[in-house]
Amino acid sequence: MIKGIRGVPDILPDETGKWQALEAVARDVLDRYGYAEIRTPIFERTELFVRGIGEGTDIVEKEMYTFEDRGGESLTLRPEATASLMRAYGEHNLGAKSSLVKLYLIGPMFRHERPQSGRFRQFHQIDVEAIGSPGPAVDAEVVVLLHHLLEAWGLGGVTLRINSIGDRTCRPAYREAFVAYLGGRREGLCADCHVRLAKNPLRVLDCKQPGCREIAAGAPTIPQYLCEACRDHFAAVRGLLDGLKIGYEVDERLVRGLDYYTRTTFEFLNPALGAQNAVAGGGRYDGLVEELGGPPTPSIGFAIGEERILTSLLAQAGPSETPLLTGVYVATVGGVDAGQAMALAQTLRRRGLRSAVDLEGRSLKGQMRQANKDRFRYSLILGTEELNRGQVTLKDMADGSQQEIPLAEAADRLACMPPREVV
Ligand code: HAM
């Protein structure tokens, strides 16, 4: 059989329930904060990501799934959602109605990274963006929202790290100081960081090589270089988070892997996840829309890695709960027409019950085995002799007890019976 691609996992039927539950909670919480869903295509012009995410980033340099379509145009599977979302925001003039537009997107992203635990080539994000406002209150609410989501999922043991990486006014001075510092320590840097030093020096702060980490640990940090406006903004964000009782740690070396960030950046980490421990990350990106050719549009957002949230929840869960017994299996015996069972099952479904019938000509024993396996609460057994008297047999699958009931009342009676827990 042809196999799937490494790092591009299937989500199997016994896992999809957890994904649906995760996303249902997210939609509910996002709705309470006034966010509306947007769905953009999974591929875009390559140029969007190159200009949006930044040429010297790992994503653009080595991780994009880029291809030429039949018309010779260079297209790329989206490696993240922010650039696509801002394109759509500008293209459809979504800012016309409100100065602050709150949007979210749930869907797959694609990065050609080395697959490992918690790192996939197709993965899923819940991406959230507050577009159009520069004020620190928006930063604080966005972080509070992310905190709320993690809490609503019951995720424990996560820590929040925040930083400010300055803006167009103050970052150049920092960059200069950082490059000067690294210049004297070149020989200790890995080969990748030599390239970074030339193209995008701040990426050295992101390198995981022990030698580079050691050098980065002694480097000047951005907060020392922030201009007054950035310093005030960061102080205001921290003040609001303190007031809202959101615990965080300021990490002066948090730069994040995408070039569009300005000012506030943040990440939630789950140390229990090992190397790939960021469950969500984001920040302000006041210059991105201009970079894409649009008007100044100060914005902030984050993305949550759904796989990493689900892995975290699984790791902290106790023994899994046994699902309740629900619904009604309609069985036949003694040559009763399968069509009659199908019609009854259809009535029960219309009354809101889960129901199934045998479609494979099984014996009554086989049908009961299937009803148990599929965790049905009741079976209704249609037999020729009972049907002639207008009766059917109702079997309680929890204790095996049986009783005859009038066929005409079956749907009404079953629609009122509660599900039952049985181990
Ligand atoms: P990011 O930090 O690249 O940010 O990704 C956000 C989250 O996606 C990560 O914290 C992680 O949980 C998950 N993630 C990233 N790569 C992978 C992977 N290969 N496998 C599994 N999970 C992964 C962004 O994408 C920004 N667009 C976030 C943002 C939105 N900033 C502002 N608005």
Side-chain angles (χ1 to χ4, degrees):
M1 242 332 251
I2 295 172
K3 293 230 166 78
I5 303 161
R6 205 162 95 82
V8 184
D10 295 304
I11 301 171
L12 298 174
D14 59 358
E15 300 164 327
T16 45
K18 292 202 169 66
W19 285 79
Q20 287 164 4
L22 186 88
E23 290 173 6
V25 169
R27 288 175 195 284
D28 173 39
V29 172
L30 285 159
D31 182 58
R32 289 190 230 173
Y33 284 76
Y35 283 78
E37 184 177 12
I38 182 167
R39 301 184 187 194
T40 63
I42 61 163
F43 60 97
E44 300 267 3
R45 288 179 217 285
T46 301
E47 188 196 356
L48 174 71
F49 301 116
V50 173
R51 280 175 54 187
I53 299 169
E55 243 164 319
T57 58
D58 281 358
I59 296 181
V60 169
E61 284 214 323
K62 349 185 219 197
E63 295 170 4
M64 295 206 306
Y65 281 93
T66 297
F67 59 97
E68 224 174 71
D69 78 354
R70 288 171 196 274
E73 187 164 19
S74 179
L75 304 176
T76 294
L77 298 187
R78 64 181 179 201
E80 60 110 48
T82 312
S84 307
L85 218 135
M86 299 316 289
R87 180 209 39 80
Y89 170 87
E91 193 168 330
H92 305 289
N93 199 15
L94 300 181
K97 284 202 194 109
S98 169
S99 55
L100 177 61
V101 176
K102 296 173 165 184
L103 299 175
Y104 75 90
L105 180 150
I106 301 179
M109 308 294 152
F110 308 85
R111 295 185 193 175
H112 192 272
E113 296 192 83
R114 195 167 52 79
Q116 62 181 89
S117 166
R119 191 156 77 184
F120 305 96
R121 290 181 168 174
Q122 174 171 331
F123 59 98
H124 297 77
Q125 286 186 344
I126 298 173
D127 183 89
V128 176
E129 313 290 355
I131 307 158
S133 175
V138 185
D139 304 37
E141 192 186 74
V142 161
V143 174
V144 168
L145 162 59
L146 176 53
H147 186 271
H148 190 153
L149 281 166
L150 301 178
E151 202 175 65
W153 287 322
L155 190 65
V158 285
T159 54
L160 168 61
R161 298 192 306 166
I162 65 170
N163 193 21
S164 172
I165 60 166
D167 63 7
R168 274 182 280 197
T169 314
C170 51
R171 200 153 353 128
Y174 171 67
R175 194 183 139 116
E176 215 171 283
F178 187 63
V179 170
Y181 167 85
L182 290 183
R185 293 162 182 81
R186 246 168 222 282
E187 62 291 349
L189 296 174
C190 71
D192 277 350
C193 280
H194 276 119
V195 180
R196 289 181 183 126
L197 187 54
K199 282 195 176 167
N200 198 347
L202 298 194
R203 291 272 78 76
V204 174
L205 288 169
D206 255 355
C207 184
K208 302 284 181 290
Q209 296 294 331
C212 302
R213 287 182 89 133
E214 208 173 295
I215 292 174
T221 57
I222 303 180
Q224 303 159 18
Y225 288 82
L226 292 182
C227 59
E228 206 179 331
C230 285
R231 210 175 311 129
D232 288 350
H233 184 95
F234 194 37
V237 174
R238 286 185 327 226
L240 285 164
L241 292 178
D242 292 338
L244 291 157
K245 307 263 178 298
I246 303 289
Y248 61 84
E249 188 191 307
V250 174
D251 177 350
E252 298 190 341
R253 287 183 175 75
L254 177 67
V255 287
R256 309 221 352 99
L258 303 98
D259 270 358
Y260 49 59
Y261 291 116
T262 49
R263 297 192 164 170
T264 315
T265 51
F266 53 94
E267 261 176 11
F268 269 92
L269 304 181
N270 179 5
L273 284 183
Q276 304 304 319
N277 60 4
V279 293
R284 190 165 263 293
Y285 50 94
D286 291 345
L288 173 59
V289 177
E290 281 164 272
E291 198 60 51
L292 301 177
T297 313
S299 305
I300 179 164
F302 61 81
I304 299 167
E306 293 191 75
E307 284 81 359
R308 293 189 191 170
I309 298 290
L310 287 167
T311 308
S312 305
L313 292 174
L314 200 66
Q316 75 182 36
S320 63
E321 282 171 33
T322 319
L324 293 178
L325 296 185
T326 59
V328 184
Y329 188 91
V330 184
T332 55
V333 64
V336 169
D337 177 22
Q340 210 168 339
M342 288 171 88
L344 184 51
Q346 201 58 7
T347 304
L348 293 167
R349 291 173 188 136
R350 290 206 175 100
R351 297 292 302 268
L353 288 167
R354 182 171 78 96
S355 188
V357 289
D358 172 42
L359 304 175
E360 295 166 87
R362 287 191 178 92
S363 66
L364 183 61
K365 202 167 155 202
Q367 293 178 67
M368 290 302 100
R369 210 177 294 130
Q370 192 62 41
N372 274 320
K373 197 161 152 250
D374 292 342
R375 300 196 66 78
F376 278 101
R377 172 77 179 93
Y378 295 102
S379 287
L380 270 181
I381 305 167
L382 311 188
T384 319
E385 194 258 322
E386 291 89 342
L387 282 176
N388 286 339
R389 289 187 278 111
Q391 299 283 107
V392 287
T393 303
L394 175 67
K395 179 172 178 178
D396 185 327
M397 300 305 285
D399 59 19
S401 63
Q402 296 191 179
Q403 55 172 307
E404 276 193 13
I405 61 168
L407 174 63
E409 289 173 20
D412 277 342
R413 282 176 66 167
L414 286 163
C416 304
M417 289 176 167
R420 186 166 155 181
E421 264 178 77
V422 171
V423 184

